[in-house]
Amino acid sequence: MERLHWVRHRCQRLLVGDLGQGWYSLYARHSPQSGSVKRRTVFARHGPHQHECKALSKNYGGNAIRTTKYTLLTFIPVNLFQQFHRVANLYFLFLALLNWIPVVEAFQKEITMIPLLLVLTVTAVKDGLEDYRRYLFDRKVNNTVARVFCGSQKTYIEQFWKDVRVGDFIRLSCNEIIPADMVLLYSSDPRGVCYIETANLDGETNLKQRQVVSGLPPQEEEFTPETFRGRIECENPNNDLSRFRGYIEHSGGVRVGLHSGNLLLRSCTVRNTETVVGIVVYAGHDTKAMMNNSGPRYKRSKLERNLNTDILWCVLFLIIMCLIAAVGHGLWLKDLEESIFQVDTDTPPALAGFYVFWTMIIVLQVMIPISLYVSIEIVKLGQIYFIHNDLDLYSEEQDSRIQCRALNITEDLGQIQYLFSDKTGTLTENKMVFRRCSIYGIEYPHEENARRLEVYESEGGEAAGRSVTLKSGVSGKSLSCRSLSCNRSSVSLHTLADEEEEEEEQLSNHVNTRTSAFSSRMAKEVVPDPELVRKLSCLRSSVLCGSACSPEMLSSQELTSITDFFLALAICNSVVVSSPTQPRHVVPEARTPLRSLEEIKQMFQRLSFSALSPSQNKGSPRSFASRLFIRGKTGSLTFPPTPNATDSPQGGKADLSVLDSPTKEEEVKALEAATWEEDEDFMESKTRPDGDLQATPPTGDEDDAVDNLLYEAESPDEAALVHAARAYRCTLRGRSAEGLVVDLPGIGSLAVQLLHVLPFDSNRKRMSVVVRHPLTGQVVVYSKGADSVIMDLAERPEGVEHSQEMYRHIREQTQKHLDAYAREGLRTLCITKKVLEEGEYEAWLKRHVLAESSIETRDELLLESAQRLETNLTLLGTTGIVDRLQEEVPETIDALQRASIKVWVLTGDKQETAVNITRACKLIKDDDCVLVANCDSKDACATLLEDLKLEVKCGEGSRTDSISSSSHDAAQYILVIDGRTLDWVLQEELQDSFLELSRRCKAVICCRSTPLQKSQVVRLMRDQLGVMTLAVGDGANDVSMIQVADVGVGISGQEGMQAVMSSDFAVSRFKHLRKLLLVHGHWCYSRLTNMVLYFIYKNMMYVNLLFWYQFFCGFSGSTMTNSWVLILFNLIFTSVPPLIYGIMDQNTPPELLTRLPELYHTAQTPKVYAPYMFWITVLDAFYQSLVCFFLPYCAYAGSDVGVLSFGSPINTSALFIILLHQVIESNTLTWIHMVVLLISGGLYFTFVLLFSIICITCNPPTNPLGVETHQMSQAVFYAVCAITTVTALLPRLFLRALHRTLFPATTAAQTDLAATENYRRKMRCWNAKHSGANRVPVCADNPAMEPSVA
């Protein structure tokens, strides 16, 4: 019954429409189970719960997808139903039906159907071809083969994707695409890890790690689906790609939480894993991939909204004309005594006038331009074609061109008034390079590293600084595991040693093609700071020394902070490690330490790693030697289980005592010498004595392995920090779900047990990892994040006054360094640690497990759990990362501001960094006044806004006399506002004050703003000021503001494709906005506005000819031309030239538009498409119609010419006037324009001549036979047409010339200025080329002087 109700509801939706996004979206939104229950229960189809699965599966859809709108049976009715949603089509359908009524019939019944049938047919063919392409794609996808478990055969068999159902077990291999959303139950990787590539969903080519559900049998055993007895309870289908809530209840009743890390999404690709098995939970249109497939974006442009107003005016004119005709016909009949015409005298005049009203509606139907809407769509497609193929908008580095994802707002590009831009990745490269750091309150400037970056800057960074992404330069396709053999892909940290040679041999052909995301040469070649290297060398030598090597300056606390700092940089991330000859998760195991275990024990006992945290000395690993280091080539890397309440009472602790045996003096000296020599070699490998850059040379097989490691990070920040740690020999060598392998300087490889990863989110603004320290065995939390939150979470120790003073000093110095980094424009991150006691960790772990198993409130509970853990953090230090500006950003911003576009920067970075970057962008100039708004309360914010408004008003008044308000170089105000203050000003009480202040400022910089705040700011300016807005960004945090803005632009940069997928236009560089807006936006808007006005003009001009004739035929609705010409005149004969004009016209050359951005503002709505332009067009149409009608009338007055003969020169003159009017309005005339004009005229003459020769009864009651042939044989016909055409067009030519003479437009003046500048530039070049001792230079300021050759 529920299914029946759903089908009925679906049919109702079909009847009322809402098919704009296809059948699949309708299905997804009205799934029968989506509104009735809050959870979905899944059982295995082949197992002990088959009956429950069969009962539940009735409510779940299959895996077949259908993105088509139509079938063979439904195409005609559904397509017609959709097309008649347009009011224009309904209007012409009404006229066609009206003409079938005999008392109001104006033409033959078939003729009035022609315009409507032609438009409907063209649109139906276009829709049918598009839908057929979708059908072919659906068929290909649905018939893809997957291996599905068959209960009767007890094995996996091949089935089509369309036959997969919820509850099926699916077995996949490497490089296979996932057919449905599945919960991962088995992976051939012994760790239960599976890697997937999500490029088909979000465009990101870096691998994502997925984990098998916990509580299942060991992964060494083959998964047997028939023994699976679990029950899955999960949330209903939704489109959130990053969220999955639910739990799996095992046969014993134990529930294990499910999360997004357990879900394999449809359309993703399995990588680096030989075999995986999963159970389907969402299929077909319920999958997240399909629910995110909403089809092309649709926005209504501002021009379309204005066009609706003009169409209403046309309707009003039509009604007025018909009313005049109706009243005139009634009065004519009333005063008629003896008629020489055939008139129905039995009909009362009032009723006859009523009939004539509807007859005139049919006769004057072309007043409403039915072809205008179709023409606009065709023109926009042509404009998009030229934008898409503009080589100036092509990025050779990324091998990408501009993408036009919204097909109907091209003209809005020419009306932008406010531009809202993200900073990182939009204005900057988003290619992060480690610049400097501060540890333990001590700043390390890395001067050699700074000089290295300057070298890259001077070289342009083209070759050296280019980021290498996971794309082929030839094909642009992903080069991940698809090109790699997966025969050994299950080889992991456990089983590498015996198969290294075989792997290298198999993959030798792919060594040169494997690359790493965010791993440019500039990012990898970090030059260490010598002082920091010296201190790390003290760490090595302290193994055998009785004290630190620099007792006067270096303490054990500082060594502890340095070691933990670089360890945090190496492990607090989600970086995937691989090498050119190995899959991403196949990395070397922990190697034999450089020092013996006893030496490491002695060193860390001396260093006392508990110096800053009172709880750090309360834990050590049991079986330290057996658990950490594995000697031998074929040993396996294992991680101990997480301690819990069932472990030993000691919590897994062991004693780390100092060995009694003393170290020989010779061994000490030898070790110190080796250590210093190693450090010197290390530094020399980074820089030559003369300061030139030099890559680190390999010194052996192990060095080769380390140097060839590839890091694939989710963000460039992570990659930069990992490379920085690697520069100090703290190298991340491997990662698995349970642990990591890290090389520490002077120690060697260590296995770090990874307990939990608390990923970064925009609420917490930080990321943390919970690990068991490889040397102390303690549970340690390493965190990194924004200083605005980390500094507040840092502990304030209680106890010894000396410790408090020391920690306070560290905080103060670190804050000073943070502020200095921000002033330099560096991105800053704070690094912290926290040591947990075993009891504290176990208590947190219990609540965290409950949060993970929750369904409805999982995200909230996990956020609370993370916040509970990330408190009382110990500050280790901070990093400064440089992010270079993209090329031509200052020039682009300057051009946009000269075009009267206000540029705002909305960023999540701190205030000092944002201000520094905007100064580098020339958004803030030296003489600009910067207003800072940082408030802690709403009242203080209100007061500050009033003060700032008063300051701005006073400043504007004082500059009025000396500086012109239109001067672009005048000093202006810049408002800088932080996120907390932004919360206050976005409230309704303060919005007006903020709007008034921001309107008076040249630019606004919003710092520390969240994604929600970004969208709120854009919406506020768009709605309250009524301005056209454009938002540009490159990351997922910019999606909300991109979607809110009138025009959204995505940057296809380093942070995936979320912004691009949500945008209307996608470019690869910020500089492309300059030409996209100033050139293509200017052209598109100018073309479409003039084309719309031209359509209104030509339709109104031709309709007026018919209206003037009614004064001479008793307002009877008769016409002086045959009905075929009347219908086809605007539909065919004069419809093509406007299309060519709308696609190809260039009112200003592109070079001039780029050089003079002020032209962009002059072409916007107040200048081109103002209301008065509509009325000027109407008056011109009335004048030309009067000339076109009454000049032939006067020429043929008193003659015996027939009605059709009288109408022939009128139609011909109208054709010439309309076509030549287009020539006058065109700014560009090419051979294409001329060919189209000749074809339009040729079609008209060909049609009327053939019609006059062969047609006898085509236009009853009149007979057109021989009319046109006779008229075109008379000289008076051509004289009348010529005089009429010239007389009609002469005023337009005269007024245009007079206006340009008396009132030279800004465009003309600027054009002359550009010509003068171009002349001066050529003269300077000529003088430089022909300069000599005996030659007088040509005056560049005098165009009259010609260069002469001596």
Side-chain angles (χ1 to χ4, degrees), residues 3 80 121 176 468 731 760 819 994 1001 1018 1149:
R3 182 72 176 180
L80 290 177
T121 301
E176 289 188 346
V468 183
T731 305
F760 175 88
D819 297 337
F994 175 67
C1001 295
V1018 176

Side-chain angles (χ1 to χ4, degrees), residues 58-178:
K58 295 179 181 179
N59 297 325
Y60 304 149
N63 199 44
I65 64 169
R66 177 182 165 192
T67 60
T68 58
K69 296 179 181 180
Y70 320 108
T71 64
L72 288 177
L73 296 178
T74 63
F75 174 71
I76 294 179
V78 174
N79 186 261
L80 290 177
F81 181 77
Q82 286 183 314
Q83 292 201 57
F84 282 117
H85 273 71
R86 289 184 172 178
V87 178
N89 290 341
L90 287 175
Y91 166 74
F92 281 92
L93 176 63
F94 168 73
L95 294 181
L97 297 177
L98 187 66
N99 195 60
W100 285 71
I101 301 176
V103 292
V104 296
E105 179 183 356
F107 309 126
Q108 293 174 269
K109 298 178 177 61
E110 300 83 3
I111 296 179
T112 55
M113 300 293 292
I114 291 177
L116 182 62
L117 288 177
L118 183 61
V119 171
L120 294 179
T121 301
V122 171
T123 307
V125 170
K126 176 180 71 70
D127 294 342
L129 292 176
E130 291 178 355
D131 209 57
Y132 182 69
R133 286 196 295 266
R134 286 192 290 264
Y135 164 75
L136 294 179
F137 175 78
D138 292 346
R139 186 175 65 178
K140 179 180 179 181
V141 172
N142 290 330
N143 291 335
T144 305
V145 175
R147 286 172 292 170
V148 182
F149 182 77
C150 178
S152 59
Q153 301 182 25
K154 305 297 182 181
T155 186
Y156 291 93
I157 62 173
E158 291 187 348
Q159 287 187 5
F160 293 131
W161 278 21
K162 62 183 179 182
D163 299 326
V164 173
R165 295 293 182 270
V166 173
D168 275 334
F169 293 100
I170 298 181
R171 183 187 182 100
L172 298 171
S173 300
C174 184
N175 297 329
E176 289 188 346
I177 300 177
I178 302 169

Side-chain angles (χ1 to χ4, degrees), residues 942-1094:
T943 304
L944 180 60
L945 289 179
E946 295 299 327
D947 294 341
L948 293 178
K949 286 195 299 182
L950 182 61
E951 179 181 351
V952 172
K953 290 180 181 178
C954 295
E956 290 177 347
S958 63
R959 295 201 310 266
T960 302
D961 298 334
S962 59
I963 300 176
S964 173
S965 60
S966 62
S967 176
H968 172 67
D969 296 328
Q972 299 183 51
Y973 290 94
I974 308 293
L975 177 62
V976 180
I977 185 170
D978 67 347
R980 184 178 301 177
T981 309
L982 200 58
D983 279 333
W984 301 122
V985 301
L986 289 175
Q987 296 184 11
E988 187 174 356
E989 298 83 354
L990 300 180
Q991 282 184 4
D992 293 337
S993 298
F994 175 67
L995 288 172
E996 183 180 352
L997 176 62
S998 61
R999 289 179 64 181
R1000 295 177 179 270
C1001 295
K1002 182 180 73 170
V1004 177
I1005 303 170
C1006 300
C1007 313
R1008 296 296 191 191
S1009 54
T1010 64
L1012 178 60
Q1013 287 177 330
K1014 291 182 179 182
S1015 63
Q1016 290 174 339
V1017 169
V1018 176
R1019 182 180 288 108
L1020 176 66
M1021 305 305 293
R1022 184 198 64 188
D1023 296 341
Q1024 298 298 323
L1025 299 184
V1027 295
M1028 288 293 294
T1029 59
L1030 181 146
V1032 54
D1034 73 317
N1037 59 335
D1038 304 316
V1039 168
S1040 56
M1041 76 169 181
I1042 287 175
Q1043 293 178 334
V1044 167
D1046 295 294
V1047 179
V1049 178
I1051 303 289
S1052 55
Q1054 304 288 316
E1055 294 189 11
M1057 300 291 287
Q1058 295 94 329
V1060 170
M1061 295 170 66
S1062 303
S1063 65
D1064 304 309
F1065 299 89
V1067 296
S1068 57
R1069 312 295 286 177
F1070 183 82
K1071 67 177 182 179
H1072 292 159
L1073 289 178
R1074 185 177 186 180
K1075 186 169 187 181
L1076 179 64
L1077 297 182
L1078 303 185
V1079 178
H1080 289 290
H1082 176 95
W1083 283 345
C1084 291
Y1085 179 68
S1086 176
R1087 293 164 177 169
L1088 280 172
T1089 52
N1090 289 321
M1091 191 190 77
V1092 169
L1093 292 174
Y1094 178 77

Side-chain angles (χ1 to χ4, degrees), residues 778-935:
Q778 296 171 320
V779 177
V780 183
V781 181
Y782 288 104
S783 302
K784 68 177 181 182
D787 59 282
S788 58
V789 294
I790 291 293
M791 297 300 284
D792 294 334
L793 297 175
E795 65 176 350
R796 290 169 174 79
E798 299 178 358
V800 182
E801 182 178 353
H802 174 73
S803 299
Q804 294 183 13
E805 185 66 26
M806 175 63 71
Y807 195 77
R808 189 180 303 111
H809 174 75
I810 293 174
R811 284 175 56 91
E812 292 175 355
Q813 292 300 315
T814 303
Q815 187 62 55
K816 290 180 180 179
H817 299 153
L818 284 169
D819 297 337
Y821 292 173
R823 285 191 294 270
E824 293 182 19
L826 303 181
R827 292 171 58 87
T828 56
L829 284 176
C830 288
I831 313 298
T832 64
K833 67 173 288 189
K834 178 183 180 180
V835 178
L836 298 178
E837 296 184 2
E838 292 295 338
E840 182 182 2
Y841 169 68
E842 291 171 2
W844 174 85
L845 180 60
K846 291 179 181 179
R847 301 185 66 175
H848 189 73
V849 171
L850 291 177
E852 288 181 332
S853 61
S854 175
I855 296 181
E856 285 81 7
T857 60
R858 184 177 189 271
D859 293 343
E860 293 80 4
L861 293 177
L862 286 177
L863 176 61
E864 179 184 351
S865 176
Q867 291 175 338
R868 189 184 309 111
L869 185 67
E870 296 165 334
T871 57
N872 296 324
L873 304 175
T874 299
L875 182 63
L876 297 176
T878 183
T879 61
I881 300 175
V882 64
D883 186 10
R884 297 188 306 164
L885 280 180
Q886 294 184 17
E887 67 276 11
E888 299 183 25
V889 167
E891 294 82 359
T892 302
I893 290 180
D894 180 71
L896 294 176
Q897 288 183 327
R898 290 173 58 192
S900 298
I901 299 176
K902 287 195 173 183
V903 180
W904 289 29
V905 175
L906 311 179
T907 177
D909 282 345
K910 63 186 305 181
Q911 186 169 296
E912 293 82 358
T913 304
V915 170
N916 184 276
I917 292 296
T918 50
R919 286 189 183 276
C921 295
K922 304 303 180 184
L923 184 62
I924 301 179
K925 298 185 177 179
D926 295 336
D927 53 354
D928 287 337
C929 180
V930 179
L931 307 176
V932 180
N934 296 336
C935 303

Side-chain angles (χ1 to χ4, degrees), residues 302 417 1085 1161-1173:
K302 189 175 182 179
Q417 296 166 282
Y1085 179 68
H1161 180 64
T1162 62
Q1164 290 183 352
T1165 300
K1167 304 286 192 305
V1168 176
Y1169 201 62
Y1172 72 84
M1173 291 299 300

Side-chain angles (χ1 to χ4, degrees), residues 439-440 444 532-543 547-550 553-566 603-604 606-609 611 876:
I439 308 174
Y440 197 68
Y444 300 96
L532 198 51
V533 171
R534 186 186 65 81
K535 292 181 179 180
L536 283 175
S537 67
C538 293
L539 172 65
R540 303 178 186 182
S541 62
S542 63
V543 174
S547 61
C549 63
S550 300
M553 294 297 295
L554 198 60
S555 66
S556 61
Q557 295 180 1
E558 184 176 353
L559 283 178
T560 301
S561 297
I562 293 174
T563 306
D564 278 329
F565 179 84
F566 285 109
M603 176 185 68
F604 279 88
R606 288 199 185 99
L607 289 182
S608 179
F609 265 74
L876 297 176

